[in-house]
Amino acid sequence: MEAFQVSQLTKELVAVRLKKIEDPCAAAVEVVAQTVRVALRGAQADPAERARVIHDACYGGLTALLLAAQDLPRSAALL
């Protein structure tokens, strides 16, 4: 079975939300947080694995914001 791609999933979820939301940066942060919560439910207690999930979710969210030409510094600060 292929590894769960948190970054790709988050990027796609944020991209869809960006088209419908008034404040794309805040919406992206909300999606990233939800993705992390879901992904960490099944994660082992290994701190390195947890850090990778958080990194991947943030990376995916920021990638979607970059592709949508949104305010990356503001989004990063909110994350």
Side-chain angles (χ1 to χ4, degrees), residues 27-59:
V29 170
E30 182 183 324
V31 171
V32 169
Q34 290 171 351
T35 303
V36 167
R37 278 193 293 272
V38 170
L40 289 180
R41 280 187 197 150
Q44 299 173 354
D46 178 27
E49 175 67 15
R50 297 173 71 81
R52 185 190 61 76
V53 166
I54 293 167
H55 170 273
D56 287 354
C58 291
Y59 183 83

Side-chain angles (χ1 to χ4, degrees), residues 5-79:
Q5 299 295 319
V6 174
S7 175
Q8 182 67 25
L9 172 66
T10 307
K11 180 181 78 171
E12 291 176 15
L13 290 171
V14 170
V16 168
R17 294 278 310 266
L18 289 177
K19 295 176 183 175
K20 302 176 182 178
I21 300 297
E22 192 171 305
D23 184 356
C25 298
V29 170
E30 182 183 324
V31 171
V32 169
Q34 290 171 351
T35 303
V36 167
R37 278 193 293 272
V38 170
L40 289 180
R41 280 187 197 150
Q44 299 173 354
D46 178 27
E49 175 67 15
R50 297 173 71 81
R52 185 190 61 76
V53 166
I54 293 167
H55 170 273
D56 287 354
C58 291
Y59 183 83
L62 288 172
T63 300
L65 288 163
L66 174 66
L67 294 172
Q70 297 299 317
D71 186 353
L72 289 183
R74 180 170 179 270
S75 300
L78 289 173
L79 277 174

